[in-house]
């Protein structure tokens, strides 16, 4: 009888002396895989220009209709992006997003990349809409490396994105 | 023409001789890819995309007999030993065409590789992307990679403005010349051309201002790449994101079928919608680029009610109650005849029905009108309803044997799309005759141009009628009243009338012969003609009667009453009733104290001149329904904001009496209501709510009450009568991006003849045998780009015509006036100084005043023709 109890607890007691597999989130954060698809970032070219040209192909590819792009014409004196067109409005509804990465695949300039940030929570629905200001990386960070997906497949980006390669 | 039978990809096809191979293949659902070929344009064979194998029976040179195979079938040989362009190769009997052989596919791949060798591949930022034939055909027929180096592409400055509305991207252009041919052949504005050679070969505009055409937008539709894009839609949205809503354009009496491409609730662009009976696949720039006023920030958002000097926002309930009480108060104190109403001619039939219900049915006034009450008001005409054009008329089907007579009409300014339609008739072998006091654009396409003295169009037509009646010409007309007509013209002769018209009798005789011999005749009366009382329309009716040009498709009268739905307004009784005044008489009646209250919907009579403005000030009570706070609305006691075209459903009747349905594209942004809903609210406040809930309820009520409209219900309006032969597979892209019509081509109302079976009656005429008027006559001419409300926010704003006077070279010389210098015109009504333009085609003694915003026409003109003194103005 008593033997059976100890027999059952042996497994439990055995784990008392092993290193735990859990981490103390949020103090400790577990690293994610290279191809993890988390919160989106809008990248820039090395010269600081926005990579996004406002073509809306991400919005067209999005299976959950989470992306809104409103394009506008660049001011030739002060262009936001190379070429004639840029995204005046770029919004992703993170409640709708299913993190499939189709937007990344569709992007002709590798502007949108699903990065490793996964802490995306909000207190109300309106703050689930991430605007361009939130998504766009700072002017001095996150320049145009080939997205991991393309790097792994050994695929070159399409011509407009080759500007700084 | 005899039919020819040939075999295309194993299918036997029979088509008329002369058809090209691409069109023949269409009929059997074989799609031959094309770039430069367009079914509405002459083929030129420039792009070489349509190369196919054409096998023809071999002929023995000695015997002239077909060479036969051993099995008895004719032996075939490849035509010229190489591939042939299908668009310029006519079909021949026994031909065998192969469109999917290895050789053909090799040629197609090579051709696309060549076309893409200098194409920038900037599809992601190109407005054509998504509806681009080059994209589609590359996906379907092209190579997946190019052997050319990406760095070797030719580069030009990206986009250069070709005009105010069109951008040209020369990198993307494949030099198919569709735009050049459209402007030359269809629009008749040859303003585009090629420049340079080789890799610098490019499209240029040759006119000043650049791309000076009222049809420039159509070139962006038929451009097979993104070389021509509109500045109006530049980077607004991607084409797959828009929701096309079928509506009917209300800018002019043509009633073009268009779609409003909406993204969410914003208007992104306007595109033509195919309707062979109305606009084919085209629309004019006014319709395409003149819809931005619907999103104008100055639109009225809430009802306004006058409190002292101020118009203050009010609730709909309050505003409707105040409006109803005000009208009722005047009615009980001064009687129903102290009320008057006017509603703009671009409202829908439903609006007219409710307007009549409120003003005539409930309030009982006979003073109703749809005209603005100015000097250019047209007289009510019945010729077009009596004589046709008959139902079944389609200008697209007319050509050889058709004579089009334009009387006092300038379609380019009044109803631009008719320019394309009438030029089409001429191109197909018809004849055009213009009768005007001044040069018009269509003179260039006319077989005969008859220049009459101003206001003497009716005399000329009478001279022709007189000539036909006197000349004993073969007259087989079934019209009634010919004898009375003959009696009424007894005192006059064709010679006298020709002299009165200021036209040589020889010209009249030649014109008479031309009219008699024409199997089909369409007479189009324009605003200048219609505004001269009923003289012109009666004379035209008489001409139709004596030549028998009625009662069959392709003959009759078309009246270009200004406004998108003037025909509907007249049909639905928005005309002065028994003892009623016309709008132009309202202002004097108000000054005399006979009219005390008015309801004005969608019109701005305060801008016509001082008389109407002060009359509106003098009213006891004024209700205005408008989208903007117009000068009239500022004078109102109640202002009710109305919904505009995208925000309302309804039916509209065009100049050819075709009733068409327009759909609602969005909710009104601030709860504005359609005219009929506002009027129903007033009716409800007056205690007589007809209780319609949706627009179609009113349409059904009209169909039940107005005999002519019995067939015009939503169900019948929604029938689509086939399109003109697109290819089977997505081929909308080959013919242009005009939308396929899935929403019905409308219903043409029957003429009086067709309804009761009795031939029409020719009204007796009063011969206009007076001498040619002496002194200078000013003609108030319409302008399409008149700068009124529709121009707000439009890319066409720089093209709006400023107020000016046009004088002939003789008068300019006599008075010493140069271009742009001031001219003072003085009439019995007043005096005005305007800058001058000189038109070399204008005769001495005639000046033209353009009827545009910023010029109070009524302060100078008593009618469309005014006697004036012309003098050099003080700068």
């Amino acid at each position: 009888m008593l033997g059976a109890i100890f027999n059952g607890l042996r497994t439990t007691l055995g784990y008392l002396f092993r290193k735990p597999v859990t981490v103390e989130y949020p103090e400790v954060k577990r690293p994610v895989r290279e191809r993890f698809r988390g919160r989106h970032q809008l990248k820039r070219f090395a010269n600081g220009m926005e990579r996004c040209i406002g073509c809306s192909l991400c919005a067209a590819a999005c299976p959950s209709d989470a992306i809104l792009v409103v394009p506008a014409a660049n001011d030739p004196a002060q262009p936001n992006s190379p070429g004639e067109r840029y995204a005046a409005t770029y919004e992703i509804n993170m409640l709708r997003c299913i993190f499939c990465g189709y937007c990344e695949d569709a992007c002709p300039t590798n502007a949108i990349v699903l990065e490793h940030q996964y802490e995306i929570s909000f207190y109300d629905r309106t703050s689930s809409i991430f605007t361009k200001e939130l998504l766009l990386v700072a002017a001095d960070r996150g320049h145009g490396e080939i997205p991991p997906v393309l790097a792994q497949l050994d695929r070159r980006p399409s011509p407009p994105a080759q500007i700084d390669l | 023409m005899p039919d020819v039978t040939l075999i295309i990809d194993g299918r036997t096809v029979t088509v008329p001789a002369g058809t090209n191979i691409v069109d023949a293949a269409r009929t059997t659902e074989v799609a031959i890819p094309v770039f430069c070929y367009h079914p509405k344009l002459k083929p030129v064979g420039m792009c070489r995309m349509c190369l196919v194998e054409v096998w023809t029976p071999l002929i023995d040179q000695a015997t002239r007999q077909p060479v036969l195979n051993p099995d008895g079938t004719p032996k075939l040989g490849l035509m010229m030993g190489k591939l042939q362009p299908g668009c310029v190769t006519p079909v021949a009997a026994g031909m065998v065409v192969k469109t999917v052989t290895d050789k053909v596919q090799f040629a197609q791949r090579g051709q696309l590789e060549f076309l893409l060798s200098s194409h920038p591949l900037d599809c992601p930022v190109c407005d054509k992307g998504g509806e681009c034939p080059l994209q589609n055909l590359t996906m379907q027929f092209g190579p997946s990679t190019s052997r050319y180096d990406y760095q070797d592409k030719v580069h030009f400055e990206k986009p250069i403005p070709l005009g105010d509305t069109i951008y040209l991207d020369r990198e993307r252009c494949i030099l198919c010349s569709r735009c050049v041919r459209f402007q030359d052949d269809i629009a008749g504005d040859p303003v585009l051309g090629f420049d340079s050679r080789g890799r610098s070969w490019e499209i240029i505009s040759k006119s000043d201002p650049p791309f000076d055409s009222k049809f420039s937008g159509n070139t962006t539709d038929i451009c097979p790449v993104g070389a021509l894009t509109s500045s109006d839609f530049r980077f607004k949205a991607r084409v797959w994101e828009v929701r096309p809503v079928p509506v009917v354009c209300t800018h002019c009496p043509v009633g073009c079928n268009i779609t409003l491409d909406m993204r969410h609730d914003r208007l992104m662009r306007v595109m033509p919608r195919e309707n062979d009976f109305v606009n084919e696949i085209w629309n004019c720039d006014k319709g395409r680029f003149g819809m931005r006023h619907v999103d104008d920030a100055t639109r009225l958002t809430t009802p306004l009610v006058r409190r002292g000097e101020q118009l203050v926002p009010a609730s709909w309930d309050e505003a409707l109650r105040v409006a109803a009480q005000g009208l009722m108060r005047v009615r009980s104190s001064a009687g129903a005849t102290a009320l008057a109403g006017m509603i703009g001619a671009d409202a829908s039939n439903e609006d007219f029905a409710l307007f009549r219900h409120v003003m005539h049915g409930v309030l009982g006034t006979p003073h109703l009108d749809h005209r603005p009450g100015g000097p250019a008001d047209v007289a009510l005409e019945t010729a077009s309803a009596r004589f046709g054009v008959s139902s079944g008329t389609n200008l697209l089907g007319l050509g050889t044997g058709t004579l089009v007579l334009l009387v006092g009409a300038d379609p380019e300014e009044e109803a631009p799309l008719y320019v394309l339609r009438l030029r089409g008739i001429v191109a197909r072998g018809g004849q055009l005759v213009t009768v005007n006091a001044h040069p018009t654009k269509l003179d260039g396409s006319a077989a005969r141009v008859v220049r009459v003295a101003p206001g003497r169009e009716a005399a000329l037509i009478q001279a022709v009628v007189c000539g036909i009646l006197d000349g004993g010409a073969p007259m087989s007309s079934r019209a009634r009243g010919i004898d009375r007509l003959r009696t009424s013209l007894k005192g006059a002769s064709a010679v006298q009338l020709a002299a009165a018209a200021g036209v040589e009798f020889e010209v009249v005789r030649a014109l008479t012969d031309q009219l008699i011999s024409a199997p089909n005749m369409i007479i189009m009366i324009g605003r200048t003609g219609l505004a001269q009382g009923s003289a012109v329309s009666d004379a035209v009716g008489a001409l139709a009667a004596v030549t028998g040009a009625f009662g069959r498709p392709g003959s009759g009268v078309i009246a270009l009453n200004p406004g998108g739905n003037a025909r509907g307004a007249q049909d639905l009784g928005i005309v002065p009733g028994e003892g009623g005044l016309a709008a132009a008489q309202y202002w004097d009646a108000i000054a005399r104290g006979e009219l005390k209250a008015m309801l004005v919907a969608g019109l701005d009579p305060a801008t016509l001149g001082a008389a109407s403005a002060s009359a509106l000030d003098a009213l006891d009570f004024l209700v205005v329904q408008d989208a903007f706070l117009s000068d009239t609305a500022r004078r109102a006691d109640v202002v009710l904001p109305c919904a505009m075209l995208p925000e309302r459903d309804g039916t509209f009747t065009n100049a050819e009496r075709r009733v068409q349905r327009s759909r609602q594209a969005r909710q009104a942004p601030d709860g504005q209501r359609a005219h009929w809903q506002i009027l129903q609210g007033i009716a409800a406040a007056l205690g007589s709510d007809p209780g319609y809930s949706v627009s179609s309820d009113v349409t059904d009520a009209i169909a039940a009450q107005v005999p002519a409209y019995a067939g015009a219900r939503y169900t019948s309006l929604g029938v689509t009568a086939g399109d003109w032969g697109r290819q089977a597979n997505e081929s909308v892209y080959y013919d242009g991006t005009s939308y396929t019509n899935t929403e019905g081509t409308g219903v043409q109302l029957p003429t009086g003849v067709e309804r009761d079976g009795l031939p029409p009656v020719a009204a007796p005429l009063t011969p206009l045998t007076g001498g040619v008027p002496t002194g200078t006559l000013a003609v108030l001419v319409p302008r399409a780009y008149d700068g009124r409300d529709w121009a707000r926010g439009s890319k066409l704003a720089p093209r709006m015509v400023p107020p000016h006077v046009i004088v002939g070279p003789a008068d300019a010389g006599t008075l010493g006036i140069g271009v742009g210098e001031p001219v003072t015109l003085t009439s019995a009504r007043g005096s005005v100084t305007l800058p001058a333009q000189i038109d070399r085609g204008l005769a001495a003694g005639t000046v033209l005043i353009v009827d545009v915003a910023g010029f109070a026409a009524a302060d100078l003109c008593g009618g469309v023709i005014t006697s004036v003194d012309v003098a050099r103005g003080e700068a």
Side-chain angles (χ1 to χ4, degrees):
Chain A
M1 179 66 185
L2 213 60
I5 290 172
F6 275 104
N7 200 26
L9 281 172
R10 198 172 62 206
T11 309
T12 313
L13 290 169
Y15 273 95
L16 267 180
F17 303 102
R18 288 195 202 164
K19 197 170 178 283
V21 292
T22 53
V23 296
E24 290 184 13
Y25 182 84
E27 285 79 16
V28 182
K29 292 191 173 105
R30 189 183 286 283
V32 295
R33 304 279 179 177
E34 171 64 11
R35 287 179 63 181
F36 180 83
R37 298 192 299 263
R39 177 192 182 279
H40 315 64
Q41 281 188 348
L42 284 173
K43 301 289 190 184
R44 291 179 187 270
F45 285 110
N47 61 8
M49 273 201 187
E50 294 168 14
R51 295 185 86 97
C52 177
I53 50 171
C55 72
S56 275
L57 289 175
C58 49
C62 183
S64 56
D65 200 9
I67 306 180
L68 171 79
V69 183
V70 177
N74 264 323
D75 173 9
Q78 275 192 318
N80 294 56
S81 62
E84 305 159 69
R85 177 174 177 143
Y86 77 104
T89 303
Y90 194 104
E91 290 176 356
I92 302 181
N93 186 340
M94 291 296 175
L95 276 179
R96 300 196 71 155
C97 179
I98 57 169
F99 301 96
C100 64
Y102 282 11
C103 48
E104 197 174 345
D105 220 14
C107 184
T109 61
N110 301 331
I112 190 160
V113 177
L114 275 74
E115 281 292 357
H116 294 173
Q117 168 70 265
Y118 49 80
E119 290 168 317
I120 314 166
S121 52
F122 12 80
Y123 288 104
D124 57 77
R125 283 167 180 278
T126 47
S127 37
S128 72
I129 294 169
F130 281 31
T131 59
K132 189 178 164 192
E133 289 69 42
L134 293 171
L135 296 167
L136 193 63
V137 296
D140 57 347
R141 288 199 300 125
H143 292 143
E145 61 276 16
I146 303 181
V149 179
L150 288 182
Q152 198 143 352
L153 297 172
D154 195 23
R155 251 175 54 193
R156 272 161 66 81
S158 49
Q162 291 174 14
I163 292 174
D164 57 353
L165 291 180
Chain B
M1 272 206 242
D3 285 352
V4 170
T5 301
L6 71 160
I7 296 170
I8 301 175
D9 282 354
R11 307 173 192 209
T12 306
V13 192
T14 304
V15 290
T19 310
N20 63 52
I21 291 176
V22 171
D23 277 348
R26 273 171 182 261
T27 61
T28 181
E29 305 203 345
V30 171
I32 298 174
V34 293
F35 285 115
C36 70
Y37 178 65
H38 188 284
K40 299 262 178 199
L41 299 168
K42 287 195 195 87
V44 287
M46 286 178 87
C47 74
R48 319 308 282 182
M49 193 62 210
C50 59
L51 292 175
V52 287
E53 276 184 33
V54 181
W55 296 81
T56 43
L58 288 177
I59 305 289
D60 189 323
Q61 293 299 327
T63 61
R64 312 299 301 165
Q65 290 301 311
V67 184
L68 297 182
N69 285 322
D71 61 358
T73 53
K75 194 170 182 180
L76 298 173
L78 188 60
M79 190 190 253
M80 314 288 259
K82 56 187 178 184
L83 300 178
Q84 294 299 313
C87 70
V88 287
T89 310
V91 295
M95 205 179 239
V96 174
V97 177
K98 296 177 181 171
T99 72
V100 282
T101 62
D102 287 347
K103 208 170 169 180
V104 170
Q105 285 171 337
F106 179 77
Q108 287 168 339
R109 272 199 306 278
Q111 199 51 40
L112 277 165
E113 197 174 354
F114 270 135
L115 288 177
L116 294 172
S117 70
S118 55
H119 194 80
L121 298 181
D122 57 354
C123 306
V125 298
C126 177
D127 277 334
K128 194 79 172 184
E131 54 179 18
C132 174
L134 184 59
Q135 269 186 333
N136 289 5
L137 295 183
T138 303
M139 296 305 283
Q140 199 176 346
F141 300 97
S144 55
T145 54
S146 173
R147 287 167 288 175
Y148 291 94
D149 192 342
Y150 185 77
Q151 305 302 330
D152 282 350
K153 285 189 183 292
V154 65
H155 285 295
F156 287 107
E157 181 195 345
K158 277 181 98 78
I160 54 168
L162 209 54
D164 293 310
T165 56
I166 307 292
Y167 278 113
L168 167 65
D169 188 321
R170 290 166 291 175
E171 292 177 8
R172 295 180 190 149
C173 181
I174 59 166
L175 300 160
C176 68
S177 85
R178 273 189 183 182
C179 51
V180 179
R181 286 179 285 146
F182 171 81
Q183 288 299 133
D184 290 358
D185 298 343
I186 297 197
D189 295 316
V191 295
L192 297 184
F194 284 119
D195 195 27
S196 288
R197 284 286 181 274
R199 281 200 117 181
S200 316
W201 204 5
E202 58 174 295
I203 300 282
I204 53 159
S205 168
K206 303 182 282 188
S207 67
D208 180 33
F211 213 160
D212 185 17
S213 172
K214 289 194 171 61
F215 307 99
S216 65
N218 294 307
T219 58
T220 66
D221 290 347
I222 57 172
C223 180
V225 295
L228 296 178
T229 51
S230 82
S231 62
D232 188 59
F233 182 57
R234 183 167 164 79
F235 301 161
K236 281 249 163 48
R238 302 312 303 259
V239 293
W240 57 81
E241 294 172 336
V242 297
R243 174 174 53 94
V245 183
V247 304
V248 173
C249 179
T250 55
H251 281 334
C252 83
V254 175
C256 285
N257 291 210
I258 56 176
T259 64
L260 300 181
D261 283 8
M262 310 296 291
R263 187 180 189 199
H264 310 304
D265 59 348
R266 300 283 291 183
L267 173 63
M268 292 289 122
R269 64 172 179 180
V270 178
M271 293 290 278
R273 185 161 51 100
E274 181 183 335
N275 189 341
D276 268 2
F277 298 97
V278 181
N279 57 318
E280 301 176 33
I281 58 169
W282 318 119
N283 75 344
C284 75
D285 286 358
K286 187 175 177 178
R288 189 185 296 255
F289 303 121
M291 289 287 175
R292 293 288 166 202
H293 60 314
V294 302
D295 283 328
D296 195 85
T298 58
R299 270 187 71 176
L300 289 169
T301 55
T302 62
L304 305 170
V305 172
R306 183 166 295 282
R307 297 245 161 74
E309 287 299 294
Q310 294 283 313
L311 281 170
V312 295
S315 71
W316 274 99
D317 284 347
E318 184 194 354
L320 291 171
R321 198 178 58 241
V322 173
Q325 284 170 351
L327 293 171
M328 209 56 196
R329 194 178 62 238
V330 173
R331 184 176 183 262
S332 27
S333 65
T337 52
L339 299 171
M342 52 202 299
I343 180 165
D346 47 8
S348 77
N349 290 333
E350 291 71 24
D351 299 337
F352 294 141
L354 264 295
F355 187 82
R356 189 168 166 81
H357 171 74
V358 170
M359 296 309 293
H360 188 72
V362 181
L363 294 169
T365 177
H367 310 308
L368 303 183
D369 213 335
H370 63 282
R371 294 164 290 184
D377 276 14
V378 298
L380 300 173
E381 55 80 34
T382 54
S384 65
R386 279 184 295 141
F387 293 95
V389 292
S390 301
S391 45
T393 299
N394 183 357
L395 300 190
L396 183 61
L398 300 179
T400 309
T402 301
L403 188 135
V404 181
L405 181 64
L406 286 177
V407 184
D410 186 357
E412 189 199 12
E413 305 292 354
E414 297 174 54
L417 212 96
Y418 274 127
V419 173
L420 307 191
R421 303 280 280 176
L422 299 184
R423 280 181 55 83
I425 293 178
V426 173
R428 289 185 293 271
Q431 284 185 316
L432 182 65
V433 176
T434 61
V435 178
N436 275 318
H438 56 87
T440 62
K441 179 181 153 172
L442 273 172
D443 289 354
S445 310
R448 182 184 298 279
V449 177
V450 182
R451 191 72 72 234
V452 294
R456 289 293 161 153
E457 286 90 347
L460 178 88
I461 304 297
Q462 287 181 355
V464 173
V465 172
C466 212
I468 294 173
L469 289 174
D470 292 349
M475 211 190 60
S476 55
S477 173
R478 299 176 295 112
R480 295 174 290 166
I482 299 282
D483 290 334
R484 255 188 331 144
L485 177 65
R486 197 189 300 270
T487 320
S488 71
L489 288 171
K490 257 299 181 266
S493 72
V495 181
Q496 276 177 310
L497 287 162
V503 177
E504 304 224 345
F505 182 65
E506 283 311 305
V507 175
V508 175
R509 193 149 64 187
L511 176 63
T512 309
D513 292 344
Q514 204 173 0
L515 296 181
I516 293 172
S517 58
N520 280 327
M521 178 160 67
I522 287 187
I523 313 171
M524 194 177 274
I525 328 174
R527 193 184 90 163
T528 311
L530 291 167
Q532 299 168 21
S534 60
V536 177
S537 58
D538 283 349
V540 158
L543 178 61
V546 296
T547 52
F550 60 87
R552 59 177 184 273
S555 280
V557 180
I558 297 174
L560 302 179
N561 288 299
N565 196 15
R567 184 76 260 151
Q570 296 191 18
D571 291 348
L572 296 175
I574 312 300
V575 292
E578 193 82 18
L581 301 171
Q585 299 167 313
Y586 285 177
W587 322 125
D588 285 345
I590 295 170
R592 290 194 304 268
E594 292 167 18
L595 291 181
K596 294 190 181 305
M598 271 184 80
L599 191 153
V600 180
L603 284 171
D604 190 7
T607 56
L608 292 170
S612 56
S614 58
L616 289 165
D617 281 334
L619 282 172
D620 287 352
F621 192 73
L622 173 61
V623 182
V624 170
Q625 299 173 203
D626 207 337
F628 298 99
L629 193 65
S630 62
D631 284 355
T632 307
R634 281 178 225 282
R635 294 170 160 82
D637 295 279
V638 181
V639 182
L640 300 157
C642 70
M644 301 178 86
L645 188 64
E647 296 136 24
R648 52 155 314 138
D649 207 334
T651 61
F652 297 87
T653 311
N654 79 358
E656 291 169 57
R657 301 187 333 284
R658 177 168 293 274
V659 184
Q660 305 185 96
R661 182 183 171 189
S662 181
R663 288 195 187 239
Q664 185 176 5
R666 66 173 182 193
Q667 295 295 316
D670 298 288
Q672 293 97 330
R673 299 182 186 178
H675 284 310
W676 74 266
Q677 290 169 311
I678 299 174
L679 290 160
Q680 175 160 279
I682 296 176
L686 288 167
S688 177
D689 187 353
Y692 302 121
S693 48
V694 289
S695 187
S696 64
D697 291 349
V698 194
T699 318
D700 287 345
I702 295 170
Q705 287 159 14
V706 184
Y709 282 69
R713 291 173 195 267
Y714 275 13
T715 41
S716 46
L717 299 179
V719 176
T720 304
D723 39 31
W724 51 275
R726 294 181 185 282
Q727 290 193 10
N729 59 343
E730 299 266 314
S731 57
V732 52
Y733 303 121
Y734 304 85
D735 308 338
T737 39
S738 152
Y739 285 89
T740 316
N741 197 334
T742 55
E743 297 294 328
T745 45
V747 169
Q748 197 166 23
L749 299 177
T751 56
V753 190
E754 290 161 343
R755 273 205 317 282
D756 37 298
L758 289 173
V761 181
L765 301 176
T766 313
L768 294 165
T769 42
V772 176
T774 52
T776 305
L777 292 178
V779 186
L780 193 58
V781 292
R783 284 290 175 263
Y785 295 165
D786 57 13
R788 302 226 159 92
D789 277 343
W790 66 269
R792 289 170 194 244
S794 169
K795 292 284 178 194
L796 290 170
R799 303 291 293 282
M800 290 306 133
V801 179
H804 66 275
V805 177
I806 303 168
V807 294
D811 287 342
T814 320
L815 297 163
I817 303 165
V819 172
E821 291 176 2
V823 177
T824 301
L825 301 181
T826 311
S827 75
R829 289 204 170 199
S831 171
V832 67
T833 303
L834 292 170
Q837 289 291 325
I838 295 175
D839 186 335
R840 268 181 288 173
L842 206 55
T846 305
V847 299
L848 309 180
I849 315 172
V850 294
D851 187 8
V852 297
F855 169 61
D859 288 349
L860 181 76
C861 308
V864 72
I865 314 266
T866 313
S867 179
V868 292
D869 288 330
V870 186
R872 213 183 132 78
E874 296 302 317

